[in-house]
């Protein structure tokens, strides 16, 4: 069972209670170009069934994951289960049109309607505006724009709550400071290797906005180890990141702690973080992740790891160049 470290927490001011562990469903959409491996539909459905039976009550997906495949598979799992389990929270994200780059209010409306259809639901508990770095702040916040469209859905009872999910930290802070969003999701920017989201955590905490921290393993390097997976934030890891990760692995070994446990608990132990999103694509990963969350770690490990330093620059600054 989950220990007190993993008891449910309020998701900002929404009234929803979520476990500090959240199952990230991007890999369930079969995205080999991003994750370097495939996931069959059968494996995804077994993983989701296992997730529904587990102590974790929070599932994170997006319209864009696998170009809708993640949501389609989740919809099949929901149907097979006879609905979402009681007390379960499903969050998805409204996306731009990947063919044209369209990020208009009309496109966000289509994105939500398509999500409802794929998921087989008539209401979405939580919807983030996804990756607004691909448009302007003025477009997102303006009349008839993405936020206005989601707010209209909210008034109609189609969406319960609205969040913002993206990359660049200064941009996310600007959105959080509007007060329009109950949660902000960041990824790869608050890990053992990279703390560039520190300022976002401070602002969100001050404003009572929930922080959802995704990719605590830096997309895999802190789970599999730097020699098995030499990538950070979906790109080749730099020599300094690799060297640091090797140092972390060595220190963890000295403390008899799996590197993955330290990486996960680094996020879980931060009181400013409501929930930590871990991508999972196999049913046994769920119990393994719960075990890593509960793994006993001596307090002395944290300063020993911090002694090797960490990045404070955006890890994806050149990803789309």
């Amino acid at each position: 069972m989950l220990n007190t470290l993993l008891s449910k927490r309020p998701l900002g001011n929404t009234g929803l209670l979520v476990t500090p562990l959240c199952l990230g469903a991007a890999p369930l959409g079969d995205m080999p170009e991003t994750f370097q491996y495939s996931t069959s539909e059968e494996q995804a459905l077994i993983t989701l069934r296992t997730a529904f039976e587990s102590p974790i009550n929070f599932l994170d997906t997006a319209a864009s994951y696998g170009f809708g495949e993640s949501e389609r598979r989740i919809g099949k799992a929901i149907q097979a289960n006879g609905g979402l389990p009681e007390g379960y929270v499903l969050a998805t994200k409204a996306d731009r049109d990947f063919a044209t780059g369209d990020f208009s209010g009309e496109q966000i409306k289509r994105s939500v309607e398509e999500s409802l259809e794929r998921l087989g639901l008539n209401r979405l508990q939580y919807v983030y505006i996804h990756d607004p770095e691909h448009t302007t702040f003025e477009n997102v916040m303006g009349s008839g724009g993405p936020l206005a469209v989601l707010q209209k859905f909210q008034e109609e009872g189609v969406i319960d709550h609205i969040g913002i999910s993206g990359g660049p930290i200064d941009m996310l802070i600007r959105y959080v400071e509007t007060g329009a969003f109950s949660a902000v999701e960041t990824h790869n920017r608050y890990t053992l290797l990279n703390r560039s989201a520190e300022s976002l955590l401070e602002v969100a905490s001050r404003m009572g906005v929930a922080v959802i921290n995704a990719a605590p393993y830096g997309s895999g390097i802190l789970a599999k180890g730097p020699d098995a997976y030499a990538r950070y934030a979906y790109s080749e890891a730099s020599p300094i990141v690799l060297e640091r990760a090797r140092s972390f692995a060595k220190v963890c070994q000295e403390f008899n702690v799996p590197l993955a446990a330290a990486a996960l608990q680094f996020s879980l132990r931060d009181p400013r973080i409501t929930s930590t999103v871990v991508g999972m694509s196999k049913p046994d990963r769920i119990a393994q992740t719960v075990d890593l969350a509960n793994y006993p770690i001596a307090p002395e490990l944290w300063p020993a790891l911090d002694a090797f330093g960490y990045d404070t620059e955006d890890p994806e600054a050149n990803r789309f160049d």
Side-chain angles (χ1 to χ4, degrees):
M1 281 300 292
L2 296 175
N3 65 13
T4 49
L5 176 72
L6 289 177
S7 53
K8 290 178 189 170
R9 304 171 183 178
L11 181 62
N13 61 5
T14 64
L16 297 170
L17 291 173
V18 295
T19 45
L21 266 182
C22 175
L23 189 148
L28 296 179
D30 189 24
M31 299 171 66
E33 69 290 345
T34 300
F35 297 108
Q36 312 289 293
Y37 60 84
S38 277
T39 308
S40 70
E41 180 172 303
E42 182 186 16
Q43 185 177 310
L45 293 176
I46 295 168
T47 303
L48 286 161
R49 187 168 71 234
T50 306
F52 289 163
E53 293 165 357
S54 80
I56 298 168
N57 83 330
F58 196 13
L59 179 61
D60 178 275
T61 188
S64 60
Y65 293 161
F67 298 104
E69 191 60 26
S70 175
E71 287 186 333
R72 267 191 293 275
R73 292 173 175 185
I74 291 168
K76 284 191 174 185
I78 291 171
Q79 186 180 19
N81 191 66
L84 275 170
E86 192 176 348
Y88 213 85
V89 178
L90 169 62
T92 193
K93 307 181 190 80
D95 273 289
R96 67 192 187 280
D97 184 310
F98 276 72
T100 64
D102 181 12
F103 216 128
S104 64
E106 271 305 305
Q107 164 56 25
I108 293 301
K109 182 173 184 287
R110 279 192 296 274
S111 182
V112 169
E113 287 167 351
E114 287 165 5
S115 290
L116 287 162
E117 191 177 331
R118 285 190 290 261
L119 291 164
L121 299 171
N122 55 21
R123 181 178 64 85
L124 299 171
Q125 292 157 292
Y126 209 96
V127 177
Y128 299 95
I129 296 172
H130 197 197
D131 290 345
E133 56 264 38
H134 297 285
T135 184
T136 63
F137 180 84
E138 290 72 24
N139 173 53
V140 170
M141 303 299 292
S143 173
L147 177 62
V149 165
L150 294 189
Q151 287 172 332
K152 187 165 190 298
F153 274 128
Q154 200 175 26
E155 287 164 20
E156 294 166 353
V158 177
I159 288 174
D160 290 347
H161 306 287
I162 303 167
I164 194 85
S165 171
I169 295 304
D170 288 349
M171 174 200 74
L172 290 177
I173 289 172
R174 190 178 182 194
Y175 282 111
V176 165
E177 286 179 334
T178 66
F181 306 96
S182 52
V184 59
E185 185 172 35
T186 179
H187 59 90
N188 291 296
R189 289 163 175 82
Y190 199 71
T191 71
L192 283 175
L193 286 164
N194 188 294
R195 316 278 172 92
S196 55
E198 175 66 38
S199 53
L200 173 65
L201 267 60
E202 282 301 307
V203 171
S205 177
R206 189 173 70 240
M207 293 191 64
V209 172
V211 173
I212 309 303
N213 188 34
Y217 304 134
S219 74
I221 189 171
L222 292 171
K224 299 169 186 173
D227 296 320
Y229 190 85
R231 291 164 68 80
Y232 189 91
Y234 321 115
S235 302
E236 292 302 313
S238 69
I240 191 165
V241 166
L242 285 176
E243 194 48 48
R244 236 178 227 141
R246 287 190 185 106
S247 300
F248 289 168
K250 189 166 177 285
V251 171
C252 284
Q253 206 170 8
E254 289 163 7
F255 277 82
N256 281 323
V257 170
L259 176 61
L264 180 59
Q265 290 190 37
F266 168 77
S267 180
L268 291 174
R269 69 198 286 269
D270 194 310
R272 300 168 298 179
I273 292 170
T274 300
S275 194
T276 300
V277 183
V278 179
M280 301 184 215
S281 60
K282 295 177 181 172
D284 54 355
R285 289 279 184 268
I286 294 165
Q288 286 170 3
T289 305
V290 171
D291 288 346
L292 290 170
N294 285 312
Y295 201 93
I297 294 181
E300 294 78 17
L301 175 67
W302 305 112
L305 292 171
D306 280 350
F308 291 98
Y310 46 81
D311 278 350
T312 55
E313 301 302 313
D314 188 331
E316 290 190 301
N318 303 312
R319 182 182 171 198
F320 299 104
D321 288 356

